[in-house]
Amino acid sequence: MVALRAMPPPTSNRAPGRRPVVTGIGLITPLGVGLEETFQALRHDGATGVTAGATRTRLSRSTQQPAWRLAIPHFEPRPFFHTPKSVKLTDRKTQLAVAAAELAVRDAGISDDDSRDALAVVLGCSSSDVDTDGLGRAVARSAGDVTSDIPAFAEAILKGLNPLWLLVNLPNMVSAHVAIQQRSQGPNWTVMTDWIAGLQAIGEAAAGISTGELDWALAGGADCGTPVFFAACYGQDGALGENGRGLVLSEGAAILVLESEEHARARGARLRGSIEGFCCRASGAENGAATGLRGAMCGALADAGWCGADLDLVCRAAVDHRSFLDEERTLVAELFAASRRPPDTLELRSSLGHALGASGAIDAALALRFLGPRPGSGRALCNALGYEGQAAALAVATESTTSEERP
Amino acid sequence: MTNPATPADELRAAVRRIVADALDRPLSEVTPSSSLIDDLGAESIDFLDIQFRLESALEVELGEEELYGGRLDFADPAVMTDGRLTAEARAELERLQPDFAWHRFPEAIRSADLPRLITPDSIAAALVDTLEAQAGAAAEAGSRDEEAR
């Protein structure tokens, strides 16, 4: 058993004034467009706040959707685009990213007059579904083997696809379109580590702010797991179970405005919280998720300079596939067994479904909201788990409502 | 009492709808003589998109040269001199494409300005020409088959 009290000392290389703070949150989930909409729906749906022990929320089934899918109802992207014609150049996950970014910018009080020259965009997502609906139609009208003959492929397949297909499906489009719509000219990259991508994007952006590489950033995740293509692929892996088990594929986006504390204070921004630590690990050649997740959790806590007893909340990745769910539960119980006051836990997959690369970022946004402003600040650890032992953990904190220090 | 719509009218209406969809504009903003670039904000990739949408909806192959009036060789010095359309070429292009937005260019037209001439009705006219050419080719092929039998 590894007790979190035995962790190494903090290894932060943060420069003075470079604490990465959260000044804006943009969230879109199947339960609502906006942080408060989702938060209130979760409370209404059964997650009546954070309680001791596991809070496993119920799956909302107010809409007619197949059991494997939980989509956002009635999402209209155009109001979030400054140039609505660009909507046709975007797939669903990019539209969600653009919308969440706009919500985050509004929440952070960033005006059109504020310079965006140094504003970075760091977003995570999984792979594109390559518009399999359109691709399928193009393939269906072709005849013969066109897989080894480029001119034949172009004639048989590409002529059936809109010439914009490539632009829509390039892997950098999520971050690129957010930068276009937000007029951001700062560093820009897309993290594509699948299910841990959104959490990793926040961690990388926060690290960039800590070291002085970035001043501020739009960071988070956006993804769409609802196309039939994904269901078919995950179905082949046995991920879409029956009888209330298995993945429920969903979609969503969560984007945070991260700034160095001095940057945020200079522009008079309200502080919603901070990113205190991050770590990404893998399980190596060992089977299962536990080794990678243990390393990530311990690493993030060490990066934050926290011990297990400092935590108020653990937001589990809660991926109901293979042995992930049981491994994570066992690990969290084991890690905090020595704590005098074990943290509360939160599992959101059963309410929000699995929005693939966006899930970790969605959890981080909601963890900040569930903690809320409180005396002495609140502290949470958010987990993300990917296939083949890849894991990430992010340590977040809310601002204290008083000047008192945590005990 | 209004006259019933002709196939050409329906084609023009279809082009306006497709242009409006592709450029994310209300149909009311897309007039028959709107310049796709100057009035509706089209960019180069939008022309690819519009061409694909037209071909898919109308089952026709529309070449880029047809959109620009066809038949003129813009590499010919008699058509383009010093990067500008010659007076003779302009007169010929005006005859071929009366629906272009000619009013925007009272002076000599540069090659880069040519796409700015394209309007929904000039696209519809190009489609009429193309569809007639395809129908003629199909009839000719049918006659040959008949003779062969």
Side-chain angles (χ1 to χ4, degrees):
Chain A
M1 186 172 84
V2 176
L4 293 184
R5 291 175 187 281
M7 286 187 308
T11 56
S12 173
N13 56 354
R14 183 181 295 158
R18 306 300 305 182
R19 184 171 73 112
V21 296
V22 180
T23 57
I25 299 175
L27 180 68
I28 299 176
T29 74
L31 293 185
V33 175
L35 178 66
E36 283 308 307
E37 285 80 353
T38 294
F39 179 67
Q40 296 302 336
L42 281 168
R43 292 170 67 94
H44 184 262
D45 202 38
T48 54
V50 180
T51 57
T55 300
R56 185 174 168 84
T57 56
R58 288 185 295 111
L59 187 64
S60 175
R61 277 294 168 199
S62 57
T63 55
Q64 297 293 319
Q65 300 194 44
W68 59 268
R69 178 164 65 185
L70 190 59
I72 299 168
H74 316 304
F75 172 67
E76 170 52 55
R78 277 173 181 72
F80 299 102
F81 278 72
H82 294 280
T83 53
K85 184 163 69 71
S86 299
V87 172
K88 72 176 179 182
L89 296 172
T90 58
D91 62 5
R92 178 87 164 179
K93 67 177 181 300
T94 300
Q95 293 167 10
L96 294 170
V98 167
E102 177 65 19
L103 292 173
V105 163
R106 291 178 196 167
D107 188 47
I110 301 170
S111 77
D112 287 345
D113 296 331
D114 289 323
S115 169
R116 318 279 177 96
D117 292 357
L119 179 62
V121 175
V122 186
L123 299 178
C125 62
S126 65
S127 58
S128 167
D129 81 317
V130 294
D131 179 25
T132 38
D133 290 352
L135 197 56
R137 282 193 295 273
V139 170
R141 59 189 277 282
S142 72
D145 178 17
V146 293
T147 55
S148 57
D149 184 335
I150 292 173
F153 184 90
E155 175 66 24
I157 308 297
L158 295 188
K159 281 196 78 172
L161 285 175
N162 189 307
L164 305 183
W165 180 88
L166 181 71
L167 289 177
V168 173
N169 291 288
L170 288 170
N172 62 320
M173 286 297 107
V174 172
S175 301
H177 279 284
V178 167
I180 291 168
Q181 296 303 319
Q182 292 299 332
R183 299 181 288 107
S184 147
Q185 297 179 5
N188 186 297
W189 70 92
T190 308
V191 178
M192 296 196 70
T193 41
D194 205 40
W195 292 356
I196 69 168
L199 204 66
Q200 185 164 1
I202 295 173
E204 288 189 8
I209 288 170
S210 289
T211 59
E213 181 188 357
L214 311 176
D215 283 332
W216 60 340
L218 295 169
D223 222 330
C224 176
T226 57
V228 170
F229 171 75
F230 286 120
C233 292
Y234 286 122
Q236 281 187 327
D237 191 45
L240 309 180
E242 296 176 344
N243 303 320
R245 295 298 305 265
L247 299 185
V248 175
L249 298 172
S250 72
E251 57 182 348
I255 294 181
L256 311 180
V257 176
L258 300 182
E259 308 180 53
S260 69
E261 185 169 1
E262 63 182 2
H263 188 279
R265 292 201 184 279
R267 70 176 190 89
R270 171 197 53 178
L271 307 191
R272 278 184 165 277
S274 58
I275 308 301
E276 297 292 331
F278 172 73
C279 188
C280 175
R281 288 288 184 267
S283 289
E286 294 181 23
N287 288 328
T291 302
L293 185 59
R294 182 196 308 273
M297 292 176 72
C298 292
L301 286 167
D303 193 30
W306 296 347
C307 67
D310 289 329
L311 284 176
D312 300 298
L313 179 69
V314 172
C315 195
R316 290 177 179 152
V319 179
D320 193 0
H321 179 44
R322 297 188 178 175
S323 59
F324 291 172
L325 197 62
D326 293 336
E327 280 188 90
E328 187 183 24
R329 282 178 175 164
T330 302
L331 178 63
V332 169
E334 179 187 312
L335 288 176
F336 296 103
S339 297
R340 193 172 59 247
R341 187 180 62 88
D344 300 328
T345 56
L346 187 64
E347 295 181 358
L348 293 168
R349 294 292 77 71
S350 53
S351 272
L352 300 176
H354 195 347
L356 308 182
S359 286
I362 289 171
D363 288 3
L366 283 163
L368 286 168
R369 183 62 186 86
F370 267 98
L371 287 173
R374 60 173 71 185
S377 86
R379 293 175 174 179
L381 191 66
C382 301
N383 293 344
L385 267 176
Y387 268 87
E388 310 305 346
Q390 204 173 23
L394 187 78
V396 302
T398 52
E399 296 299 295
S400 174
T401 54
T402 65
S403 58
E404 73 181 81
E405 294 290 323
R406 288 176 68 92
Chain B
M1 184 176 164
T2 56
N3 294 323
T6 66
D9 291 335
E10 291 173 1
L11 191 61
R12 279 191 286 270
V15 170
R16 280 183 60 215
R17 279 196 303 275
I18 286 169
V19 168
D21 285 347
L23 301 180
D24 199 30
R25 294 279 187 160
L27 189 58
S28 59
E29 285 185 14
V30 182
T31 72
S33 59
S34 301
S35 162
L36 266 61
I37 291 177
D38 291 345
D39 298 325
L40 303 174
E43 300 167 276
S44 56
I45 56 170
D46 294 318
F47 285 94
L48 292 173
D49 181 29
I50 289 168
Q51 188 176 344
F52 176 79
R53 291 178 190 233
L54 289 166
E55 290 180 346
S56 300
L58 304 173
E59 295 184 345
V60 60
E61 285 207 21
L62 183 64
E64 193 178 353
E65 62 276 13
E66 277 86 12
L67 282 178
Y68 291 99
R71 302 181 192 88
L72 284 184
D73 178 5
F74 293 107
D76 184 346
V79 175
M80 277 284 178
T81 300
D82 297 331
R84 294 181 182 277
L85 204 62
T86 64
E88 295 76 15
R90 174 172 179 143
E92 174 64 4
L93 200 53
E94 282 193 40
R95 187 184 68 76
L96 291 169
Q97 283 287 14
D99 297 306
F100 269 170
W102 293 109
H103 60 284
R104 293 186 178 275
F105 296 98
E107 305 299 330
I109 297 174
R110 296 172 302 152
S111 56
D113 291 330
L114 284 170
R116 299 168 63 193
L117 292 167
I118 295 174
T119 66
D121 266 9
S122 76
I123 295 173
L127 279 167
V128 168
D129 289 348
T130 303
L131 288 166
E132 285 176 354
Q134 283 184 5
E140 195 175 314
S143 298
R144 279 200 303 273
D145 289 346
E146 190 69 26
E147 284 174 17
R149 276 199 294 271

